[in-house]
Amino acid sequence: MTKNYDTVIVGGGTGGYVAAIKLSQLGHQVAVVEKNRLGGTCLNKGCIPTKSFLKSAEVINTMKNAELYGITPHKPSFEMANIISQKDKVVNKMQTGIKYLLDKNKVDIYEGTATVLGPSLFSPLAGAVSVSYEDEEKESEILVNDFVVIAAGSKPAELPFMPFDGEIVLSSDDLMYMEDIPKKIAIVGGGVIGVEFATILNAFGSEVTVLEAAEHILPAEDKDVAQAVHKSLSESGVIIKTGVKLEAEGIDIKKDSVGLVIDGNTEVFDKAVVAIGRKANTEELGLQNTKVKMDHGVIEVNEFQQTSESHIYAIGDVTSSQQLAHVAIEEALIAAEHIMDNNPLQLNYDNVPRCIYTSPEVASIGPTTQQLKEKNTEFKTHKLPLSAIAKAVIEDGGEGFIKLNVSPEGDILGASIVGAHATELINQLSLAKFMDASALELSSAVFAHPSVGEIIKEIGLDAEGIAIHV
């Protein structure tokens, strides 16, 4: 069966469904093809479920450390099945919401596997999309279109000598449905995914060891940010070992354990989580039938998300941009506007916030201090403790800091926040940076008192040499 659409979206994740809704609003007849569940990795196996787990972990830690708030501490009891059930309630509610929005915007949904076809009797150009189904009795369909948006997302990357088995060697996907909390677990990779799961599993009662090949965890962030997270995780009982490079001959995977050679010694764990990054889902899309250029499985695009086939676009994790849901959303809007011959505002990736939901939270924007140094950029760093702000002290003792890098003219180049509500506060700095606000303008804005956000005004004042509370 053949059907015609203006645009077909391959992938119903965060970027895919946003692109579909935007294009429908702009007048296109749109179809989305999704082989798993609407919402993609972010909703089903990433951002949202992990934050549900992290909220459960936060409640556990708050109860255990209630003396910080003048309350008798209590060691809570819990069933993992109930925590998973709560996570599933949130996910299902949000997924229902996405289905409602797509229906509201008259977007057709195909629950099958998409394959991009080359030039054929259906279309003189590559890009028609074949949809096949698990039910072999259900006839496949051909979606003929003028434009295609590839939004197929990514999957956890494996180590060649530690392939995922779902039992002993786990991916972050596998952790979404863990029935029992392992007594002793290794997390291979100290990046964002690794440290977030270290926070979760430690709160749930596991003895956690994080193994990172670089000289410090969170290697994409400044050292002082990484050190703050390292200190906090260590104080909570997480063991962190950096400069660890695992080798194939040092891995011993058994039916109920895994042995890892670390610093010359073998240490045995109940399970190991490999969290070394994510790999673009481009292998089975049929892109070899097109002239779309790829580099090691990553689709090459221009500033408007166009591939080398001008009517085929790609957004989100299948491209080389930051693998963040909010990046996929912005790229979806840019692609949709460009398809409609509008003139979309190009995305400045230096204005994209990066959030890490550990305890304390971490959020950053713009180049790191080290990156600015490597580019020989002239700048000055201003850094203040959150303990200067009463609301931050009330929240968690004022743990953490804010750091602002500014140009000699006072322009905001980058910033990092470690501490209470960091992942919310970074939005204020994101807006300021987008609006090209200066440190002086930050210092001149009125911030509510008491609020943790007052630290943003204070760092603006400090950059002008007129700080009040430090």
Side-chain angles (χ1 to χ4, degrees), residues 113-330:
T113 299
T115 303
V116 180
L117 305 178
S120 66
L121 59 89
F122 302 108
S123 174
L125 294 175
V129 176
S130 170
V131 184
S132 58
Y133 301 95
E134 287 188 5
D135 183 351
E136 295 180 357
E137 295 183 1
K138 190 172 182 180
E139 184 182 355
S140 63
E141 301 180 81
I142 304 295
L143 310 183
V144 180
N145 57 75
D146 296 322
F147 298 94
V148 178
V149 178
I150 307 296
S154 62
K155 60 186 175 183
E158 288 184 311
L159 284 170
F161 49 83
M162 283 184 73
F164 301 128
D165 59 26
E167 296 293 334
I168 301 300
V169 181
L170 310 177
S171 70
S172 56
D173 288 359
D174 296 321
L175 290 176
M176 292 298 99
Y177 298 98
M178 51 185 172
E179 296 179 355
D180 300 302
I181 302 301
K183 183 178 179 181
K184 187 175 182 182
I185 190 166
I187 298 178
V188 182
V192 175
I193 297 171
V195 297
E196 287 190 355
F197 274 109
T199 301
I200 292 167
L201 292 166
N202 175 66
F204 289 174
S206 287
E207 181 183 326
V208 180
T209 298
V210 175
L211 306 174
E212 170 54 46
E215 66 177 23
H216 61 78
I217 60 172
L218 300 176
E221 298 296 337
D222 276 333
K223 285 186 178 181
D224 54 354
V225 170
Q227 288 168 353
V229 176
H230 188 135
K231 179 176 180 290
S232 178
L233 285 173
S234 297
E235 289 176 349
S236 68
V238 175
I239 300 167
I240 299 174
K241 298 185 178 182
T242 57
V244 175
K245 293 179 172 60
L246 299 178
E247 304 290 346
E249 57 271 17
I251 311 297
D252 183 17
I253 302 172
K254 296 182 178 179
K255 185 178 180 180
D256 58 356
S257 66
V258 55
L260 305 177
V261 174
I262 306 169
D263 299 331
N265 299 311
T266 298
E267 191 164 350
V268 179
F269 300 88
D270 298 320
K271 298 182 187 296
V273 179
V274 176
I276 58 170
R278 299 185 65 83
K279 181 180 179 182
N281 286 327
T282 56
E283 293 176 351
E284 300 176 1
L285 294 178
L287 293 177
Q288 70 277 6
N289 301 322
T290 73
K291 296 178 182 178
V292 170
K293 292 182 180 179
M294 293 194 290
D295 182 12
H296 296 88
V298 176
I299 300 174
E300 296 182 2
V301 295
N302 65 13
E303 67 272 25
F304 300 114
Q305 307 305 129
Q306 275 181 302
T307 70
S308 47
E309 293 257 30
S310 61
H311 63 293
I312 299 178
Y313 290 68
I315 62 175
D317 288 6
V318 294
T319 72
S320 61
S321 59
Q322 298 148 293
Q323 292 181 330
L324 299 169
H326 44 288
V327 167
I329 289 172
E330 296 306 317

